[in-house]
Structures are given as C-alpha cells and as structure tokens.
Amino acid sequence: MEETSLSLLDRIRETSDPQSWDRLVTLYAPLLKRWVLSYEVQASDADDIVQDVLAIMVRDLPKFQHSERTGAFRGWLRAILVTRVKDFWRSRRYRPMATGTSSIDEKLNQLKDEASEASQVWNCEHDRYVLKQLMRLVQSQFEPKTWQAFYRQALKGHKPETVAKDLEMSMSGVYTAKYRVLNALRRESEGLIDES
C-alpha cells in the first residue's frame, strides 16, 4: 500500500476517496453511538442519529477549516452530535428526565460547553478511542516485527537494546521501526486528536 503524506482529514477534504471516508466512518460510528446512547436514546434511534451525524460530516467536512486550535475537529464533531441529539428529542416533543439531578437537555448543554467537565470527558475519551482505533488500522501496514519493535519501545517502555536482542534486529532497525510507525500514526491522526 502506497502511503501519502496527507492526514486522513486532508485526504478526505482534498480527494474525497471512498476508502478514506469508509475509514473515518468505521473510526467514528462506535464512539458516536456510545455517546448518543448515554442520552437515553434507544439503540435503533441511536443508529439513526449516528447516521445523521455521519451524513453531516460527509456533507460539511470538505468545507471544514481546521483552525489549528487544539481539538478543533473533535469540538466540531461534538457540536454536531449535541445538535442532532437535541433535534431528536425536540422532534419527539418529549424531554426525558435523566436519572440523576439534571435533564438530558442540561446534560447536552454541558457537553456543548467547551469548558465543562462533560466536554473534557468527551475530549479524553475521543482521543483515547481514536488513537486506539488508528493503531489497529495502522498496524496492518507494517510487518509484525516492525510493529513489535514500535510497540515494545513506545508503549511498553522497553529499552531499544532489549528489543533489538529479543527481535534479532539491529539497533538502527529498532529505531527505524519506531520512527516509521509513529510517523504513520501522526499522519493519520493529524487534526483528529491532540498530539501528546
């Protein structure tokens, strides 16, 4: 597979290739559904709302201008999600009460507020989830030994010398493996998650 230097978002905005769209939908649908369900929406309705959010993404992403502000894309996506869930409840002329002390509408308003705790939870869960999914997708682009060299160094904290010995690789091969995988992850995640 030939890799480009464009991030997933850039590929979609610039070329609109179906494979990149499929990747974005696969990446986001489960996360969006989990959040929609947390607002007392039944599973079948949640699927419809997620489809609406994804349709809006498909329609508006080519026009989306990343402000280079941390979390611009996930904030934009969060706003779409909040609007669609509010529209869902409005269309039903029913405002359910949450089991706690605040209504669904109040909870959605908190999620919409960038400074709220709910928004911070969204940000953390979004970034963890997207990174985990991107790692799964990117892994298939590398030989198992290359992936293991990256994984053991970057995620397990093993010393490069130990990894080189265990995997019967040169030190430069171990460093190169880590560099190549990190580059692929950075490229794919650019604009989607905060780099850390």
Side-chain angles (χ1 to χ4, degrees), residues 134-148:
L134 285 175
M135 285 179 60
R136 188 178 55 77
L137 293 170
V138 166
Q139 182 176 357
S140 66
Q141 299 172 14
F142 295 95
E143 294 294 325
K145 194 182 260 193
T146 301
W147 182 261
Q148 278 301 309

Side-chain angles (χ1 to χ4, degrees), residues 6-9 27-28 66 126 130-131 134 138 182-195:
L6 296 175
S7 71
L8 179 59
L9 284 181
L27 186 63
Y28 275 100
H66 199 290
H126 171 276
V130 170
L131 181 59
L134 285 175
V138 166
L182 283 175
N183 251 6
L185 285 170
R186 281 188 188 107
R187 185 174 45 250
E188 285 294 305
S189 68
E190 185 179 333
L192 296 177
I193 62 174
D194 293 339
E195 192 170 318

